[in-house]
Amino acid sequence: MLICANLNQPWNSPLPTLVLLQKCRTSNDVNQIHARLITTGFIRNRFLTTKIVLAFSPSPFTPLVDFARYVFFQHIAFRSPQQDQEDPFLWNAVIKSYSHGRDARRAFVVLCLMLENGVPFDKFSLSLVLKACSRLGLVKEGMQVHGLLRKLNFGSDLFLQNSLISLYVRCGFIGYARQLFDRMPMRDSVSYNSMIDGYVKMGMIDSARELFDFMPLEYKNLITWNSMISGYTQLENGMDLALGLFDKMPDKDLISWNSMINGFVKCRNMEDAQDLFDKMPRRDVVSWADMINGYAKTGKIDLARSLFNEMPERDVVVCNAMIAGYVQNGYCAEALEIFYHLQRDCHLQPDSTTLLIALSAIAQLGHIDKGLTLHRYLKRKKFSLGEKLGVGLIDMYSKCGSIKNAVLVFEGIEPKTVDHWNAMIGGLAIHGMGELAFKLLMDMERLSVEPDDITYIGVLNACGHAGLVKEGQICFDIMRRVHNMVPKLQHYGCMVDILGRAGQIDEARKFIEEMPIEANDVIWRSLLSACKNHDNIDVAEPAAKQLITLDSGNSSSYVLLSNMYASLGMWNAASRVRLMMKERNLKKIPGCSWIELEGTVHEFFVQDKSHPQVMEIYSLLDSFSASNSGVTPCMLLN
């Protein structure tokens, strides 16, 4: 910024400096003004420096806030000859710039400086510091301020007591908050609302209701009623209570209506949610998004789309709800249509949530070209890959078959979170690269990256697909002995799969028997599948019996056992299993394959004749097989 002031003020007046400062946006701009203040001597003008602190400490522009703090500490703080009579309003302005802005912890540091240098403070100084402690969860520092309040007889001030209650509630110390509340000589709506909201957020709905009933009627306001309704909607059978309270409310706002709709949506009660939605005097995007999300989660995607089309005005949140609804219901192509419409025709810009859902849709479709295009968009718009977007991008490339691109994305992210490591390990597992996945786990150990349970599921899966029994066992031991993690059912399932794939059927069965938790149907199905692959009928029959007991309605268990009997020539036993399926009205779910050709995904089921080019496909397959006597010709069945 070129310094230029065309004001009807002499150059040696401080007023042009204040005007120019208001226009500063960068550190370079501020440095130019600072240089002028030094050369003109205005930096020693107490009137001007005070104006700078008061005007720019609450600025939304970081360089101006930093400059205001610098001016305060270098030219105002600690320099008053009469600090005992000093009004702390300038100190409070600086404390507020910390407590409401960046580096809130320094608000507490500034209060300590005031105490050390004998600078007087007031209740606003303390309330600002308590707010900073609440924001960051600094309960120890907050307790020190609490002790200072009691020592200096500030303890009975209602405003400060409410600030303390808010601190303890936000830090999860609801018991301390209640002790303070019970000892208060006077309370107001803020006191009650803070406690009720705290109980609700802690899931202590009975305590919230008790306090709500005890609260004087004149203190109850919309915040009180809405907090209580929100609490009831958390209960398994709380919607009747919430609706009763909703009907009693003297006044309702959008939060009241939206809380009720959200509660019905969570219960999948879309009939009552729709009834309330129709009665709403006014709706906002939250109302529409909740309804769309509710219909999508109950599988009524057409109703969700109808509501989406009816909306008078949409925002990114509603578009995200509709896109996510399509993806959840398997309509990934339709999800991408809305995403592209959002980019092309709307005035809205996709946010990181939109892009994450779009990546998930592309991953499910396997459209690598669309994935590459979206990756270029992320680069062009300078989205950070340091959080979930990087995870989604690695996952997308892995599922679209481009493990090379997934590795390039992974290597380019710094710093990496455990989620990035997990996504890369999972991608390597999909591609059967067990050794590389195990190496990544060792790299995590070397770099002191703490793995979680998902990390070990990914590595164990990778070891299973690659036949790495020894590495899988080492991984399982590291999880338990080095990181002291208690294995979950999924980890035990992975170990059974590793042993079963390697043909160690007896070891797998013994492993299941020695598990400290009961095996579920997935683990028994894994063992049964391994028995079929390695023709172990002795272990297969009791495994199948366990599996049918646990999951009698799943046809895959019967099919596995029947196919195994058939492969061993035990036709009577195979017929008995098939008859059992027929008696229980179970049908085998057909297998499905798909292939992408020139941007179009083609899907095929077993003996599928629905494809528009089915005759050409079978004819081409027959021509291939005719030139190979070892291949049985593919016949089109009538």
Side-chain angles (χ1 to χ4, degrees):
M1 181 185 73
L2 179 65
I3 293 181
C4 179
N6 184 17
L7 300 170
N8 295 321
Q9 297 288 339
W11 181 244
N12 60 356
S13 168
L15 292 178
T17 303
L18 289 172
V19 174
L20 288 171
L21 266 176
Q22 291 174 355
K23 299 178 181 179
C24 291
R25 296 294 179 266
T26 67
S27 297
N28 186 50
D29 297 342
V30 173
N31 288 339
Q32 292 183 60
I33 300 298
H34 188 194
R36 179 174 180 268
L37 288 171
I38 293 171
T39 56
T40 59
F42 286 156
I43 198 70
R44 293 186 297 275
N45 185 317
R46 182 63 182 257
F47 168 79
L48 180 60
T49 52
T50 300
K51 283 281 188 183
I52 289 172
V53 173
L54 292 176
F56 301 115
S57 59
S59 172
F61 302 103
T62 299
L64 284 175
V65 177
D66 290 342
F67 183 58
R69 292 170 179 170
Y70 169 82
V71 168
F72 174 76
F73 286 113
Q74 290 295 317
H75 300 284
I76 298 176
F78 321 125
R79 297 202 175 185
S80 172
Q82 295 179 322
Q83 285 181 348
D84 290 340
Q85 286 81 40
E86 186 175 340
D87 191 315
F89 72 97
L90 283 178
W91 286 87
N92 289 348
V94 173
I95 292 175
K96 186 176 180 181
S97 76
Y98 287 118
S99 68
H100 288 65
R102 296 179 301 113
D103 201 6
R105 184 183 293 270
R106 291 190 66 85
F108 183 78
V109 175
V110 175
L111 177 64
C112 292
L113 283 173
M114 294 176 75
L115 292 169
E116 289 172 5
N117 290 275
V119 179
F121 55 88
D122 58 17
K123 68 177 183 179
F124 297 108
S125 318
L126 299 172
S127 69
L128 290 167
V129 175
L130 287 172
K131 180 177 179 62
C133 293
S134 296
R135 279 184 61 194
L136 300 180
L138 304 176
V139 71
K140 288 185 178 179
E141 289 81 351
M143 285 179 169
Q144 292 179 50
V145 177
H146 188 180
L148 182 64
L149 293 179
R150 298 188 64 180
K151 184 178 179 180
L152 299 178
N153 295 322
F154 274 113
S156 60
D157 184 90
L158 180 60
F159 179 64
L160 289 174
Q161 287 183 315
N162 285 338
S163 298
L164 281 168
I165 288 175
S166 176
L167 163 74
Y168 288 130
V169 165
R170 290 195 63 173
C171 293
F173 288 80
I174 196 73
Y176 288 172
R178 185 56 190 262
Q179 287 180 30
L180 184 62
F181 177 86
D182 289 339
R183 293 171 183 169
M184 290 174 69
M186 289 182 59
R187 306 182 186 106
D188 61 5
S189 295
V190 177
S191 318
Y192 281 96
N193 288 341
S194 295
M195 284 303 307
I196 291 172
D197 184 60
Y199 279 132
V200 167
K201 287 177 178 173
M202 296 286 288
M204 302 168 67
I205 311 304
D206 289 339
S207 298
R209 178 57 192 264
E210 178 189 346
L211 200 55
F212 178 83
D213 292 339
F214 178 72
M215 184 177 181
L217 183 60
E218 63 270 19
Y219 285 173
K220 292 179 182 177
N221 54 25
L222 272 170
I223 296 172
T224 321
W225 292 90
N226 288 339
S227 292
M228 205 60 236
I229 286 174
S230 174
Y232 282 143
T233 61
Q234 295 177 22
L235 299 176
E236 187 175 349
N237 299 308
M239 285 312 298
D240 289 339
L241 294 170
L243 188 58
L245 201 62
F246 180 78
D247 290 337
K248 292 178 183 177
M249 289 182 70
D251 296 299
K252 302 177 181 71
D253 63 0
L254 264 173
I255 295 174
S256 318
W257 289 92
N258 287 340
S259 295
M260 288 299 302
I261 289 174
N262 183 259
F264 281 125
V265 165
K266 286 178 180 176
C267 298
R268 297 177 176 267
N269 183 352
M270 292 308 299
E271 185 177 344
D272 286 336
Q274 183 69 57
D275 183 57
L276 276 180
F277 183 77
D278 293 338
K279 293 177 181 176
M280 288 182 76
R282 187 170 65 90
R283 300 167 184 151
D284 63 0
V285 290
V286 176
S287 322
W288 291 92
D290 274 342
M291 291 299 298
I292 290 168
N293 184 44
Y295 278 125
K297 285 186 174 178
T298 54
K300 299 176 181 178
I301 197 67
D302 292 339
L303 291 175
R305 184 57 192 262
S306 296
L307 278 176
F308 182 77
N309 292 339
E310 288 175 22
M311 286 190 66
E313 187 176 347
R314 303 183 188 117
D315 71 351
V316 174
V317 174
V318 176
C319 291
N320 290 349
M322 192 65 244
I323 297 171
Y326 271 132
V327 172
Q328 290 163 11
N329 286 275
Y331 297 98
C332 295
E334 289 80 356
L336 290 178
E337 281 180 19
I338 296 180
F339 172 69
Y340 294 133
H341 172 73
L342 186 66
Q343 284 183 290
R344 185 178 59 249
D345 302 327
C346 294
H347 64 283
L348 303 172
Q349 288 294 321
D351 61 11
S352 57
T353 303
T354 323
L355 297 165
L356 198 60
I357 301 168
L359 284 170
S360 175
I362 292 169
Q364 291 186 43
L365 290 172
H367 285 185
I368 184 65
D369 290 339
K370 288 183 171 64
L372 289 166
T373 302
L374 187 50
H375 190 182
R376 287 193 290 269
Y377 176 85
L378 294 175
K379 286 183 176 178
R380 190 168 66 251
K381 295 295 183 179
K382 297 182 178 179
F383 277 92
S384 170
L385 301 182
E387 298 295 335
K388 292 184 179 180
L389 276 177
V391 176
L393 202 57
I394 294 168
D395 182 67
M396 181 274 294
Y397 276 130
S398 299
K399 289 178 178 175
C400 288
S402 181
I403 194 67
K404 181 179 178 180
N405 277 335
V407 171
L408 288 173
V409 171
F410 175 76
E411 290 177 345
I413 295 172
E414 288 296 342
K416 299 176 180 68
T417 67
V418 68
D419 293 329
H420 294 110
W421 290 90
N422 290 348
M424 193 66 253
I425 288 170
L428 293 170
I430 292 172
H431 288 262
M433 298 178 175
E435 291 181 356
L436 286 176
F438 186 77
K439 180 181 178 298
L440 277 189
L441 177 65
M442 296 298 100
D443 288 344
M444 291 178 74
E445 292 289 324
R446 180 173 53 83
L447 297 170
S448 300
V449 179
E450 188 72 21
D452 59 17
D453 58 330
I454 298 173
T455 312
Y456 288 107
I457 290 172
V459 178
L460 289 170
N461 266 326
C463 291
H465 289 301
L468 304 175
V469 178
K470 182 179 178 181
E471 287 82 352
Q473 290 171 333
I474 291 171
C475 174
F476 196 72
D477 285 341
I478 289 174
M479 177 179 65
R480 291 185 302 167
R481 296 177 182 176
V482 177
H483 294 284
N484 296 317
M485 292 176 64
V486 178
K488 296 182 179 178
L489 203 57
Q490 296 96 315
H491 301 107
Y492 286 110
C494 289
M495 283 304 301
V496 171
D497 184 59
I498 288 172
L499 295 169
R501 284 174 184 266
Q504 299 181 21
I505 306 300
D506 290 329
E507 289 83 350
R509 176 180 55 82
K510 184 180 178 183
F511 186 87
I512 294 174
E513 291 171 352
E514 294 176 353
M515 282 169 50
I517 50 180
E518 188 176 347
N520 63 0
D521 60 302
V522 177
I523 292 177
W524 285 111
R525 191 173 293 111
S526 175
L527 180 62
L528 181 58
S529 179
C531 291
K532 176 185 177 298
N533 294 334
H534 296 280
D535 296 331
N536 191 324
I537 193 66
D538 295 331
V539 177
E541 287 181 324
K545 184 178 180 181
Q546 285 280 358
L547 187 53
I548 291 171
T549 302
L550 287 170
D551 190 14
S552 60
N554 192 324
S555 63
S556 64
S557 314
Y558 301 86
V559 172
L560 273 172
L561 187 60
S562 173
N563 289 347
M564 186 174 182
Y565 282 138
S567 67
L568 295 173
M570 301 170 67
W571 300 110
N572 291 335
S575 297
R576 284 199 305 273
V577 176
R578 292 285 178 177
L579 181 61
M580 194 186 304
M581 285 182 67
K582 188 174 181 180
E583 289 172 349
R584 297 180 182 183
N585 198 26
L586 297 175
K587 294 183 179 179
K588 181 182 182 299
I589 300 171
C592 173
S593 302
W594 63 90
I595 185 171
E596 181 181 355
L597 183 64
E598 295 180 353
T600 303
V601 176
H602 302 266
E603 189 176 54
F604 301 94
F605 290 91
V606 175
Q607 297 185 356
D608 188 4
K609 293 179 274 186
S610 62
H611 194 279
Q613 294 176 283
V614 64
M615 297 299 295
E616 293 93 328
I617 291 169
Y618 277 112
S619 175
L620 184 62
L621 287 172
D622 287 341
S623 68
F624 287 155
S625 60
S627 62
N628 189 343
S629 58
V631 178
T632 303
C634 175
M635 303 300 293
L636 186 61
L637 300 178
N638 293 323

